[in-house]
Amino acid sequence: MMGVKQAIKKLDAFPRAEEHLLQKTRSGAIVSIIGMLIMATLFLHELRYYLSTYTVHQMSVDLKRGETLPIHINMTFPSLPCDVLSVDAIDMSGKHEVDLDTNIWKLRLSRDGHIIGTEYLSDLVEKEHSDKHDDDKDHHEDPNLKSHLQTFDQESESMVKKVKHAMANGEGCRVYGVLDVQRVAGNFHISVHGLNIFVAQMIFEGANHVNVSHVIHDLSFGPKYPGIQNPLDGTVRILQQTGGTFKYYIKIVPTEYRYIWKEVLPTNQFSVTEYFSPVKEFDRTWPAVYFLYDLSPITVTIKEERRSFLHFVTRLSAVLGGTFALTGMLDRWMYRLLEAVMKSKTRSVFS
């Protein structure tokens, strides 16, 4: 019977410490305070880590059909007045996106960038624009070949004077709003193509004087989600000497962001390649800023997930237990060090 009791005692994982190790010391109090501060800090860190979310990315074939693609635009043209700027959208079949809801505003800007007027665009039809539109070679051909077909009436003359006065005052234009286009490949561009050809020639005296310098404040294809980076936001392209056409080739990736506690957010992310074509001496095309987009057949699903409670308990136990063990070792080392110092002082006194 005694043998069994002795065997059970040997299994005790919490043996009683010797009497001299149970003494409360000042060094032990300091180590205890430091240990509690460390454990409290690590506990808060682990709690914040547990409550935070992380994302998991999944890919699948895009099965969406019959939906529209929202294009959010916010751009500034510091060298062109609003009267000469037009917005045009066209899909891969050549059809103009004029039958969809459009919400585009143009803000007149002073030389200092202050707003001095607004204009709302009800649709995207370019004035006197042919249905047979070519993206690279638009209807602004050599005005000398067509000028005899145009009539320079009083309205056109007034337009020329108004625009020249605005350009002399350094007016710019900010274009912002949302285009809802069909969910197929296409392009939209901002240019002076909406002007009468003869009027455009009278204003600029040639395509090389059309300065399409621009700042892209925001360009996106849907609502933003946590962590998204739109590569064109903050883009600044200022032309000093030569004019030309900017083309941004955009690859759109359909994306779904799945929150833990909210509804699924359908949106899009994209990559972009930029190309600039300077105006040549006998070039028939007029400068513009094109955004040519295509959609990826793959959709990306980003899911928010949270770590399990058992995972949190496991990490917390390891952190707190490790800190307690480390402070205990530190306390023993400090006690032995102080004890050795005191013994050496005692010996030196008696010697």
Side-chain angles (χ1 to χ4, degrees):
M1 192 67 174
M2 292 296 295
V4 175
K5 290 183 177 180
Q6 292 295 330
I8 293 176
K9 284 185 179 181
K10 290 183 180 180
L11 297 177
D12 186 4
F14 307 99
R16 299 298 175 267
E18 297 180 15
E19 192 67 27
H20 71 279
L21 295 178
L22 299 177
Q23 298 176 8
K24 295 182 180 292
T25 61
R26 185 177 300 174
S27 62
I30 295 174
V31 172
S32 298
I33 293 173
I34 294 175
M36 286 189 290
L37 291 175
I38 293 175
M39 285 189 284
T41 303
L42 294 177
F43 171 77
L44 293 176
H45 178 271
E46 289 298 321
L47 181 62
R48 185 166 57 249
Y49 180 73
Y50 165 68
L51 295 177
S52 64
T53 59
Y54 65 97
T55 56
V56 176
H57 291 67
Q58 299 175 342
M59 292 187 294
S60 60
V61 177
D62 183 22
L63 301 177
K64 294 180 181 178
R65 294 184 298 174
E67 297 184 9
T68 58
L69 178 69
I71 304 176
H72 300 263
I73 306 171
N74 190 350
M75 296 178 60
T76 294
F77 291 82
S79 301
L80 291 175
C82 287
D83 288 322
V84 302
L85 282 178
S86 64
V87 182
D88 189 36
I90 188 172
D91 65 21
M92 64 184 302
S93 65
K95 176 185 176 184
H96 285 284
E97 305 293 347
V98 299
D99 55 337
L100 298 175
D101 292 336
T102 302
N103 188 16
I104 296 292
W105 289 85
K106 293 196 296 185
L107 304 180
R108 290 175 55 204
L109 302 178
S110 66
R111 189 187 300 271
D112 299 327
H114 299 120
I115 300 173
I116 56 178
T118 62
E119 179 185 351
Y120 177 71
L121 302 184
S122 59
D123 58 51
L124 301 180
V125 178
E126 290 186 354
K127 301 172 184 176
E128 301 183 12
H129 188 78
S130 170
D131 287 339
K132 297 180 179 179
H133 186 283
D134 189 329
D135 294 342
D136 296 318
K137 185 178 180 181
D138 51 55
H139 66 298
H140 270 261
E141 297 182 354
D142 188 354
N144 294 326
L145 298 177
K146 294 187 175 182
S147 60
H148 64 283
L149 300 177
Q150 309 298 333
T151 58
F152 192 62
D153 55 15
Q154 189 67 29
E155 183 180 351
S156 299
E157 184 177 357
S158 175
M159 175 70 172
V160 172
K161 289 182 178 179
K162 181 181 178 183
V163 172
K164 284 192 172 183
H165 182 264
M167 293 178 66
N169 290 335
E171 279 193 27
C173 187
R174 187 161 187 166
V175 180
Y176 79 95
V178 181
L179 303 179
D180 287 315
V181 299
Q182 295 185 24
R183 198 178 180 83
V184 294
N187 82 78
F188 68 94
H189 57 275
I190 305 174
S191 63
V192 299
H193 299 167
L195 291 175
N196 176 290
I197 301 173
F198 189 52
V199 171
Q201 179 65 20
M202 290 295 294
I203 293 173
F204 297 104
E205 299 177 358
N208 56 331
H209 294 142
V210 179
N211 189 342
V212 291
S213 297
H214 58 278
V215 178
I216 303 176
H217 306 286
D218 173 54
L219 182 73
S220 56
F221 297 85
K224 295 183 179 181
Y225 60 85
I228 189 173
Q229 294 182 346
N230 293 321
L232 286 178
D233 290 1
T235 299
V236 179
R237 297 292 179 265
I238 304 298
L239 299 175
Q240 300 293 344
Q241 301 295 332
T242 181
T245 293
F246 290 89
K247 292 185 178 180
Y248 296 95
Y249 295 90
I250 296 173
K251 191 70 172 182
I252 300 173
V253 181
T255 303
E256 286 186 346
Y257 193 89
R258 296 182 177 271
Y259 292 95
I260 293 180
W261 306 114
K262 300 180 184 178
E263 295 181 354
V264 177
L265 178 68
T267 183
N268 300 278
Q269 51 186 325
F270 67 95
S271 61
V272 63
T273 302
E274 180 182 349
Y275 177 73
F276 175 72
S277 176
V279 173
K280 298 178 182 178
E281 185 177 357
F282 300 104
D283 200 344
R284 294 183 177 183
T285 61
W286 285 60
V289 179
Y290 282 87
F291 297 90
L292 303 99
Y293 55 88
D294 192 10
L295 284 92
S296 169
I298 301 298
T299 184
V300 174
T301 301
I302 305 175
K303 296 175 61 178
E304 283 187 350
E305 293 190 0
R306 180 164 289 168
R307 297 160 185 88
S308 68
F309 181 72
L310 289 178
H311 181 72
F312 167 67
V313 172
T314 302
R315 288 176 58 96
L316 191 62
S317 300
V319 167
L320 298 183
T323 304
F324 186 79
L326 183 62
T327 54
M329 292 172 58
L330 182 61
D331 178 51
R332 286 194 295 272
W333 292 340
M334 290 185 64
Y335 181 83
R336 290 173 182 175
L337 178 63
L338 292 174
E339 190 178 42
V341 171
M342 293 299 295
K343 286 182 179 179
S344 63
K345 286 184 178 181
T346 304
R347 289 173 183 174
S348 63
V349 168
F350 285 104
S351 61

